[in-house]
Amino acid sequence: MSGRLYRTELALLLRAARVRWIAGVLLLLIGISFALAWSEARQSLAETNALQSTERARWLDQDPKNPHSAAHYGQWLFKQPSPLAVLDPGVEPYVGRMMRAEAHHYNDAIFRAAQDRSPLTRAGTGTVADILHLVVPLAAILLGFSAFAVDRERGTLRLALGNGTAPGRLLAARFGALWTVLVLAIGIPSLLLGGFASLTLGGAGWQSGTRVLLWVAAEIGYVTAFLAFALLASLLARTARGALAFSLLAWALLCVAVPRLVTAGVETIAPTPSQQTMIARVEDEIRRYNSGEANAERQRRLLARYGVRSVDELPVNLGGTLGHEREQHDYAAYDRGLAEFHAALIRQDRLAGWAGILSPMVAIQSVSQAIAGTDFRRHIEFLTSAERYRRRLVDTMNLDLAAHPAGTDSPYLGRRALWERVPPYAYNPTALATSLRDASVPLAILAAWIVLVIGAAAVAARKVKP
C-alpha cells in the first residue's frame, strides 16, 4: 500500500509542469556555475603545473654561488587545491595560491583568485555550493508548501483520510516523492559533476571520490531539512498561502539574515587578529637577537667551543654555522607568533561551527567546506607545509656552508649537486578523517536539524485535521 501510494505521488509530481520548471532551472544554474568554475580551475591548474616545472628548473640551473646566497635565491611554492573547489571554493578565492621560500623571511601566500577575476565574473551566478545552500532550499519550499494545505482547502484531504489512508503513510509517500524529485534534480547531477572534476583536475591525495560522495550526501541532507520544514508548514497552516508565507519567512531568516548576523557576531566575540602586527612583533624580536653585540658574543662562544683564537682556525664555516643558529632562533620566534595567530582564526572557525544551532545553512557551510577541502584549516596546512619546506631548504644550504670552513683558497661555492639535495615541493593534503573530525560539531548540528524537523513533521501528521 505504501509503495503504491509513493509511486502514485511521484507520478503526479513528475507530470506537474511546475516541478519540471523548477528542476530545469536548478539544473541550468548548477550547470552554468560548474562550467565556469571548472574552466577557471582547469586553466589555473595548467598554469600552476607549468610554473612549478619552470621554478624547479630555475632552482637547479642557478649559477654556482655561496650556499647561503642560494637560500636567499629561494623558490616559489605552489598550492594544489582540492578538485572539489569547483563545487565549493570555500576560502580559496581569498587566500594565496603561492608562497616564496627564502632565508630569514616567513612570507605569506599571495595571488588570490578573487583579485584576478573580472567584474563580470564577480557578478556571475555564484558557486554550485551557493546555489545548493540558498536557491535549492527555496525550491524545496516551493515544491512542498502545498502538499497538504491545498488538499485541506479543496476538501480532498478529508477524502484521503476518510478512505483509510493513515496520515503518517500519506506524509511518508509525499515526502518520499518530493525527496526523490530533489535527488534527481540536484543529487545525481552534483555527484556526476563532482566525479568529473575529480577525474579531470587531478588532486592526488585528496581522496576525491569519497569526498564527493560525502559532500553530495551532506547537501541532500541539508535540503531534506527544508523539504521537511515545508511539509510541516503545510500540515499546520490552514491555507496554502499561509504555508507559503510562513515557509518563505523561515527561509529568509535561516538562509539570508542569520548567516550574516552570525558573521558579524563571531567577529565581535573573536575579532580577527592582525597578521601585520604579529609579523612586526616577531621581526622585532629577531632584530634584537641579531644585534651587533649579540652576534659578536655568539662568535666568541663559537671560538671558545672549538678552542681556537681566530676565525681562520675554525674547523667550520663561521657564516654558515652562525647563520644556521640564527635560523633556529627565528623558526622558534615565528612558531610562537604563528601559533597564536592561527589559534585565533581557528577559534573563529569553531564559533562559526557552533553557530549552526541558529541556522542549518551556517552548519552546512562549515561541513561543505571541510569535506571539499577548502576550509581555512586546510589553508593553514598548506602554509605549515610550505614553511617546513622553506626550513629544509635553508638548513640544507646553511649546514653545507658550515661544513666547508673558510680557507686561503677561492671561496666555497655550491653547485647543482647541492641544489638537487633539496627535493621538489609537494603539498600532501590531510586525510579525510581529519577533515571530518574538524567538522564534527557542525556535522552533528546539521544532523540534529534534519532529525528535529522530520520528527516535528511526523508529530504534526499524526495530529492533522482535515
Side-chain angles (χ1 to χ4, degrees), residues 246-292:
F246 181 72
S247 298
L248 290 178
L249 177 61
W251 172 82
L253 288 174
L254 295 176
C255 294
V256 180
V258 171
R260 286 159 176 76
L261 292 174
V262 164
T263 300
V266 169
E267 180 64 31
T268 300
I269 296 172
T272 302
S274 170
Q275 184 171 7
Q276 289 77 12
T277 301
M278 181 273 294
I279 294 294
R281 186 172 65 249
V282 171
E283 290 181 347
D284 182 63
E285 178 184 344
I286 291 173
R287 278 193 298 271
R288 291 197 302 271
Y289 177 85
N290 291 297
S291 66

Side-chain angles (χ1 to χ4, degrees), residues 377-405:
R377 298 193 195 201
R378 302 294 80 77
H379 180 64
I380 291 178
E381 287 179 355
F382 164 66
L383 297 178
T384 303
S385 169
E387 176 63 5
R388 283 198 301 266
Y389 183 87
R390 181 184 79 88
R391 296 180 183 186
R392 179 174 182 178
L393 182 153
V394 173
D395 288 348
T396 300
M397 297 298 107
N398 284 337
L399 289 174
D400 182 77
L401 178 60
H404 293 83

Side-chain angles (χ1 to χ4, degrees), residues 106-345:
Y106 170 84
N107 297 306
D108 194 16
I110 61 173
F111 288 109
R112 295 163 176 81
Q115 294 175 324
D116 298 333
R117 292 178 177 172
S118 66
L120 181 62
T121 305
R122 294 177 184 178
T125 59
T127 67
V128 173
D130 291 336
I131 294 169
L132 294 180
H133 298 165
L134 186 63
V135 180
V136 174
L138 181 60
I141 288 172
L142 294 177
L143 288 172
F145 81 93
S146 61
F148 291 92
V150 168
D151 285 345
R152 183 182 286 111
E153 285 183 314
R154 295 174 178 172
T156 53
L157 182 60
R158 184 185 301 274
L159 180 63
L161 297 179
N163 287 335
T165 302
R169 286 187 175 182
L170 187 59
L171 172 65
R174 291 185 175 177
F175 177 83
L178 289 166
W179 188 83
T180 300
V181 168
L182 286 174
V183 169
L184 291 174
I186 66 164
I188 293 178
S190 297
L191 188 61
L192 293 175
L193 293 176
F196 177 75
S198 299
L199 292 174
T200 57
L201 296 177
W206 278 104
Q207 300 173 273
S208 301
T210 306
R211 285 183 183 270
V212 169
L213 291 173
L214 292 176
W215 189 84
V216 173
E219 298 295 338
I220 291 176
Y222 166 71
V223 176
T224 299
F226 278 92
L227 177 60
F229 187 87
L231 291 174
L232 174 62
S234 188
L235 286 165
L236 297 177
R238 302 302 302 175
T239 65
R241 181 177 298 177
L244 178 60
F246 181 72
S247 298
L248 290 178
L249 177 61
W251 172 82
L253 288 174
L254 295 176
C255 294
V256 180
V258 171
R260 286 159 176 76
L261 292 174
V262 164
T263 300
V266 169
E267 180 64 31
T268 300
I269 296 172
T272 302
S274 170
Q275 184 171 7
Q276 289 77 12
T277 301
M278 181 273 294
I279 294 294
R281 186 172 65 249
V282 171
E283 290 181 347
D284 182 63
E285 178 184 344
I286 291 173
R287 278 193 298 271
R288 291 197 302 271
Y289 177 85
N290 291 297
S291 66
E293 296 81 0
N295 282 329
E297 175 60 23
R298 282 191 289 276
Q299 179 175 328
R300 186 193 64 77
R301 288 201 302 266
L302 183 64
L303 294 173
R305 184 193 313 167
Y306 286 100
V308 297
R309 295 184 178 182
S310 68
V311 172
D312 292 337
E313 299 177 60
L314 282 172
V316 295
N317 184 284
L318 176 65
T321 302
L322 293 184
H324 181 68
E325 291 180 359
R326 171 188 171 175
E327 292 290 356
Q328 306 315 302
H329 168 270
D330 294 356
Y331 297 161
Y334 275 117
D335 283 344
R336 289 191 295 270
L338 289 170
E340 181 181 344
F341 178 70
H342 290 159
L345 295 175

Side-chain angles (χ1 to χ4, degrees), residues 63-79:
D63 296 331
K65 57 173 61 72
N66 182 295
H68 188 72
S69 297
H72 281 285
Y73 188 73
Q75 290 189 48
W76 283 99
L77 312 179
F78 299 89
K79 184 179 185 180

